[in-house]
Amino acid sequence: MRAPQKTTELLFPEASGFSRTDIRFFTGEADLSALYADTADENLCRLFVTDESVAALPSVAPFIAQLKTAPRKNDALVVLGAGEAYKTIESVLAIVTAALEHNFTRSSVFIAIGGGVITDMTGFAAAIFKRGVQVEFVPTTLLADVDAAIGGKTGCDFASYKNMIGAFYPAAAVNIWPAFAKSLSGREYRSGLAEAIKTAFLFSRELLDYFRLNRDAIMRRDDAALFHIVSECSAAKASVVHRDLREQGERAFLNLGHTFGHALESVAGLGVVTHGEAVAWGMGRALDLSCSLGFCPPVFRDEGKALLASFGYDTGCLPEALAGQDGAARKLLDAMKKDKKNVSTSRIRFVLQHSYCDSFVTEVPDEAVRAVLGA
């Protein structure tokens, strides 16, 4: 296997029950056959999980064909449907069922090749199969590169609500090829960029400046720009997770924009709006909410919304995806009340900011939320 261009080590607290995640960054086109060609243990059972869209990618298809036609003795493959609509407990159980059918033991490893939907579900399946087996990720979307594949949050949607079932269960290794982002549709690419911009708002003024000054290179998916964004965001998230694995403190800041965003995904219908589109809209609403409550100055709000708009994100009071829908603001508010991060039944919990890299968590009354939804 060609050596990675860069590595980041994510270590977990001794009492967490986990050891480490090795995050490896590779340049050029992905070579899964080389990465998984050999193993020191010929008896190791490996279950590869992907979806129909990823399996058809030119850099992935030869490896999938090899698994189908001439698999190693103890390798197995699960190919699921693609997209948020398949992020269900039934898909998770399909992974578990495949492992059972192949008589996998607790010493086996599950390997997810795909975006955040696949890594989330495969990680959850690994967490519950025989009370836990090792899992590795090969993220194939920008969103998974910078966020979903790192840090151990796993799970699936349930009853039209995002990630209502899951577990903290980190991967042993995450193998990242930023070049996968070149294969994404424009919409999926921008979905991942939203999470990268969020990370910059939270942790790096330098990265925010990079977004402002290099928009054209970023939008044309320049190799150097992709590698810089992915490696910086991954390292930032790894650093936060190292200090706060189970989201008891600062890791909660990573939910900036997500309370509004998850509500939008639920109300619009899971999969109608991409996760990143929803989060970007949610960040705009969080900026307005923070300013309306006197937590940040208007100049910070305006600069932040201008950056989001420069990358084409919706920053209106009500998202375009819900245009013309009766009672949209009320439905969004109702969905936010069901957010799993809430600790009160009377107020909604939000991540807000005083300024760049200055975040906090607070509970907000309904009337303040309605105001920034234009209701």
Side-chain angles (χ1 to χ4, degrees):
M1 180 185 75
R2 185 178 59 188
Q5 182 76 12
K6 182 178 180 179
T7 60
T8 295
E9 185 180 69
L10 169 52
L11 298 176
F12 300 104
E14 289 185 10
S16 68
F18 306 107
S19 175
R20 57 189 275 174
T21 298
D22 292 318
I23 307 171
R24 311 176 185 119
F25 304 91
F26 298 87
T27 55
E29 188 172 289
D31 189 350
L32 300 183
S33 295
L35 181 64
Y36 289 111
D38 300 310
T39 175
D41 181 2
E42 63 179 17
N43 294 314
L44 176 65
C45 295
R46 305 185 300 185
L47 178 63
F48 293 90
V49 183
T50 190
D51 67 36
E52 294 169 346
S53 294
V54 173
L57 293 176
S59 57
V60 177
F63 180 67
I64 298 301
Q66 178 183 333
L67 287 173
K68 289 180 176 179
T69 59
R72 178 179 155 275
K73 180 180 66 173
N74 293 309
D75 285 350
L77 172 67
V78 174
V79 180
L80 299 170
E84 190 76 28
Y86 292 93
K87 194 178 183 182
T88 64
I89 190 63
E90 289 78 17
S91 293
V92 173
L93 294 178
I95 300 170
V96 171
T97 299
L100 284 171
E101 290 176 345
H102 286 84
N103 297 317
F104 277 18
T105 68
R106 292 185 67 182
S107 62
S108 62
V109 58
F110 291 4
I111 301 166
I113 305 168
V117 170
I118 291 296
T119 59
D120 276 10
M121 293 195 298
T122 306
F124 186 34
I128 62 176
F129 180 70
K130 299 190 175 180
R131 297 197 176 97
V133 298
Q134 183 172 300
V135 63
E136 295 184 8
F137 297 153
V138 179
T140 61
T141 65
L142 184 58
L143 181 61
D145 286 343
V146 302
D147 186 69
I150 298 168
K153 280 189 176 181
T154 70
C156 62
D157 304 334
F158 187 74
S160 297
Y161 295 103
K162 285 279 292 183
N163 301 325
M164 276 295 161
I165 305 173
F168 286 98
Y169 200 76
V174 181
N175 298 298
I176 297 176
W177 275 274
F180 267 123
K182 293 176 180 288
S183 68
L184 300 173
S185 69
R187 194 177 180 199
E188 284 299 326
Y189 180 65
R190 288 176 55 256
S191 180
L193 277 182
E195 285 283 5
I197 292 171
K198 177 208 74 176
T199 302
F201 266 93
L202 291 171
F203 305 117
S204 176
R205 285 295 300 266
E206 291 182 356
L207 189 56
L208 271 174
D209 289 340
Y210 188 87
F211 274 107
R212 289 194 175 99
L213 297 173
N214 296 276
R215 182 192 175 282
D216 290 345
I218 292 167
M219 293 307 290
R220 69 171 179 265
R221 312 185 201 192
D222 173 79
D223 287 330
L226 283 174
F227 196 92
H228 181 71
I229 290 169
V230 168
S231 58
E232 289 296 310
C233 288
S234 301
K237 183 166 185 183
S239 180
V240 173
V241 172
H242 167 70
R243 296 188 296 270
D244 181 22
L245 171 62
R246 298 188 182 274
E247 203 173 288
Q248 300 302 305
E250 65 177 311
R251 184 173 182 175
F253 296 161
L254 293 167
N255 291 307
L256 177 66
H258 282 61
T259 301
F260 284 107
H262 281 170
L264 171 55
E265 289 183 85
S266 295
V267 173
L270 294 179
V272 172
V273 179
T274 70
H275 178 67
E277 288 171 339
V279 167
W281 173 77
M283 289 173 64
R285 294 303 84 223
L287 285 163
D288 273 349
L289 182 60
S290 186
C291 189
S292 70
L293 294 171
F295 292 132
C296 77
V299 65
F300 170 63
R301 174 201 61 194
D302 295 343
E303 287 179 358
K305 290 174 67 176
L307 176 61
L308 292 168
S310 73
F311 282 91
Y313 299 113
D314 183 357
T315 60
C317 289
L318 283 176
E320 295 175 5
L322 301 183
Q325 187 173 135
D326 291 339
R330 174 184 53 77
K331 292 175 184 176
L332 287 167
L333 188 65
D334 289 345
M336 282 184 256
K337 287 179 177 293
K338 294 182 175 65
D339 192 286
K340 60 184 178 297
K341 297 179 291 297
N342 291 331
V343 295
S344 168
T345 57
S346 60
R347 291 191 169 201
I348 302 169
R349 200 167 186 244
F350 290 94
V351 178
L352 300 178
Q353 292 192 290
H354 295 297
S355 186
Y356 305 108
C357 309
D358 186 0
S359 309
F360 62 100
V361 178
T362 189
E363 293 182 332
V364 177
D366 289 3
E367 56 268 25
V369 181
R370 290 193 191 95
V372 299
L373 294 175

